[in-house]
Amino acid sequence: MIAGFGLAENSSVVLVASMLISPLMGPIIGFTFGIVIKNRELCKLSVRTELIGLSICLGYGFLFGLITGAIDNTSARYGADGVWPTYEMQARGMLRSLWVGIFIALPSGAGVALAILGGNTGSLVGVAISASLLPPLVNAVIG
């Protein structure tokens, strides 16, 4: 819900807040651990949990898009300054953003590994922000 409002209000601060509380990173870490320790049950559980989380985010984004689309008319246009899609939505819908996201996610994964091995879990917050799937996922179905 927070990501939807952040996208609609064109607020990068609200989007960062949604990334901080995103539940989508835990299953990814669980899957990685499952592979490392060769635990198939952990891998299966992590994939299932991630798919459920992704489905919930897609469903909410779709509902948010329906609601904001229903109130969208010429006299009461929803969105920051009446511009729809907002800049934050446009930026997450470009092919270039996908490639940039991939190149950010690779070193972020290394950051998670180093943080956990070194016992420095405080840096996981930065990794969660940089590799967050939540805003692009919600953005994908708002339109």
Side-chain angles (χ1 to χ4, degrees):
M1 293 183 343
I2 294 171
F5 283 109
L7 289 166
E9 292 298 323
N10 202 33
S11 173
S12 58
V13 173
V14 175
L15 286 171
V16 169
S18 75
M19 293 179 210
L20 285 172
I21 61 171
S22 172
L24 299 177
M25 190 173 123
I28 295 172
I29 293 173
F31 180 76
T32 304
F33 283 144
I35 289 174
V36 170
I37 63 173
K38 296 179 176 81
N39 185 338
R40 296 188 110 209
E41 290 304 313
L42 181 59
C43 288
K44 287 180 191 178
L45 178 65
S46 298
V47 168
R48 185 172 53 119
T49 305
E50 184 72 13
L51 291 175
I52 291 169
L54 292 172
S55 298
I56 290 170
C57 291
L58 285 171
Y60 174 77
F62 182 73
L63 288 174
F64 188 84
L66 285 177
I67 292 168
T68 55
I71 63 170
D72 182 19
N73 60 40
T74 55
S75 63
R77 190 167 191 69
Y78 189 82
D81 301 325
V83 176
W84 193 266
T86 64
Y87 173 75
E88 291 291 342
M89 295 169 87
Q90 292 173 14
R92 283 163 177 75
M94 296 170 31
L95 183 60
R96 181 176 184 271
S97 298
L98 175 66
W99 289 107
V100 169
I102 290 171
F103 290 119
I104 290 172
L106 291 173
S108 295
V112 168
L114 291 173
I116 291 173
L117 289 174
N120 182 13
T121 56
S123 62
L124 290 177
V125 172
V127 174
I129 292 172
S130 65
S132 179
L133 299 170
L134 192 61
L137 185 66
V138 173
N139 189 46
V141 293
I142 282 180

